[in-house]
Amino acid sequence: MKRLLMIVCLFLFVGCTNRANALEFHPQKDWVEGEKQPLPAYFLPKTLKIVALGDSLTQGVGDENNQGGYLFSLEQKFAEMKGVKDVQIDNFGVKGYRSDQLLTRIQQKEIKTEVEQADLVVITIGGNDIMQVVKENIFHLEMDDFQQKQEIYENNVSDIFRFIQEYNNKTTVVLIGLYNPFSYWFPEIPQLQEIVQNWNETGKKITSRYENSFFVPIEDIFANNSSSLLYEDQFHPNGRGYELIGERVFSFLQTEVEPNINNEWFLEREDEQNE
């Protein structure tokens, strides 16, 4: 019994000695005594604040489940990330909003306060601008009518982005592109597809002018599957359509926005808050 006890003690002593000397023999290891390695960003999960601006697509009109449209899908995706403790969404979408109306509203104190604290701002706008041209010129539509309105749209959305940058130049801003539900209602105007494409090019151009700003196209999602992805009004997305929009936005943020959301994105914002 004494012999067994001595062997055990000797084993423990040798083991402790080897571990104590391990730092000496392997000085290149990351855990060298005296050096503290930073914790991963997701070690202390953060609350992700999203501000959503725009029209009926942001409001979620057409979502038969009344879950909040594409924002519900986006929230679910973010909530699954290790770096996210909670997702807070402030939805300022208003059915029927045009770019000029959103430009007016974004200057209100309520919006300004929320954008100042936002990690991410997502915007849907433009569909009602196009619809306004159609309604006002239904009997004598000309491509020039859309071109003039497109220039106004570009100025309005550029000013919207400018205000967002003034409020918070660190937030990530996403402009979600337009899709074409117009052809169902106005089959006699084949140019509407070209118009939507032109307006999407304008959206891309606007986002390219501002840092941390991105354009996410969704036109292709509805191009060949509109009958199964649109609500019964044949204009707004249904629940599945919104789900795909949310997945597209999330996927885009994962692959295109650097640094990646799961790591430095949160560390940067924590540093900014501590400055």
Side-chain angles (χ1 to χ4, degrees):
M1 183 68 178
K2 290 182 179 179
R3 180 178 176 78
L4 177 62
L5 182 61
M6 291 179 63
I7 292 173
V8 171
C9 290
L10 181 62
F11 175 79
L12 292 174
F13 175 77
V14 172
C16 290
T17 303
N18 286 341
R19 284 195 293 272
N21 292 335
L23 297 179
E24 226 177 289
F25 294 129
H26 304 283
Q28 76 277 12
K29 286 188 176 293
D30 292 340
W31 37 266
V32 173
E33 187 175 5
E35 290 188 9
K36 294 182 178 180
Q37 298 300 315
L39 292 171
Y42 53 78
F43 185 79
L44 295 175
K46 309 299 180 185
T47 294
L48 175 65
K49 181 176 175 60
I50 301 174
V51 172
L53 306 171
D55 50 28
S56 55
L57 268 68
T58 293
Q59 185 178 334
V61 174
D63 180 2
E64 62 269 31
N65 300 313
N66 294 317
Q67 292 180 319
Y70 77 89
L71 290 170
F72 176 74
S73 173
L74 192 60
E75 178 183 9
Q76 285 188 312
K77 292 293 184 182
F78 275 123
E80 294 172 357
M81 297 174 64
K82 288 190 290 186
V84 177
K85 175 177 67 176
D86 185 32
V87 181
Q88 176 187 335
I89 298 178
D90 295 294
N91 189 337
F92 296 102
V94 179
K95 180 180 179 180
Y97 252 29
R98 302 182 307 272
S99 60
D100 58 314
Q101 294 169 308
L102 180 56
L103 175 58
T104 298
R105 191 170 189 207
I106 200 172
Q107 299 174 64
Q108 296 175 356
K109 184 177 180 180
E110 177 189 18
I111 306 293
K112 179 178 183 293
T113 299
E114 298 303 329
V115 171
E116 286 174 340
Q117 304 170 35
D119 297 299
L120 173 65
V121 177
V122 286
I123 305 171
T124 62
I125 201 70
N128 294 306
D129 293 65
I130 294 176
M131 183 60 76
Q132 184 183 39
V133 178
V134 175
K135 289 180 178 178
E136 292 178 351
N137 304 276
I138 188 65
F139 297 112
H140 47 82
L141 267 175
E142 301 287 345
M143 286 295 287
D144 287 347
D145 298 323
F146 291 100
Q147 180 61 39
Q148 293 171 10
K149 189 67 173 181
Q150 183 178 337
E151 293 173 2
I152 296 173
Y153 170 79
E154 180 175 352
N155 291 334
N156 290 339
V157 177
S158 294
D159 285 342
I160 290 167
F161 271 74
R162 178 173 57 81
F163 277 113
I164 292 173
Q165 292 262 301
E166 289 179 4
Y167 300 159
N168 184 351
N169 63 7
K170 299 299 184 181
T171 191
T172 297
V173 188
V174 169
L175 176 63
I176 299 176
L178 303 170
Y179 64 98
N180 180 20
F182 308 104
S183 295
Y184 175 85
W185 293 102
F186 307 102
E188 72 280 5
I189 313 175
Q191 297 89 344
L192 282 169
Q193 180 60 36
E194 179 183 351
I195 290 164
V196 169
Q197 292 173 346
N198 290 340
W199 284 50
N200 279 332
E201 288 301 318
T202 294
K204 293 178 186 178
K205 182 168 64 173
I206 293 169
T207 56
S208 69
R209 297 173 186 158
Y210 297 89
E211 292 186 4
N212 306 319
S213 299
F214 304 90
F215 179 87
V216 176
I218 62 170
E219 182 184 1
D220 61 301
I221 295 176
F222 296 88
N224 300 315
N225 301 291
S226 60
S227 60
S228 61
L229 298 178
L230 292 181
Y231 184 56
E232 60 188 28
D233 63 3
Q234 294 300 310
F235 192 85
H236 296 95
N238 58 21
R240 178 56 179 161
Y242 277 122
E243 182 181 3
L244 292 176
I245 293 174
E247 290 177 357
R248 171 65 61 84
V249 173
F250 182 80
S251 175
F252 184 90
L253 287 170
Q254 276 196 312
T255 57
E256 298 296 332
V257 177
E258 294 291 343
N260 104 18
I261 295 173
N262 215 24
N263 299 300
E264 292 89 345
W265 207 50
F266 288 99
L267 286 178
E268 283 187 357
R269 279 152 179 77
E270 183 179 27
D271 292 341
E272 291 160 9
Q273 293 171 2
N274 294 332
E275 287 179 355

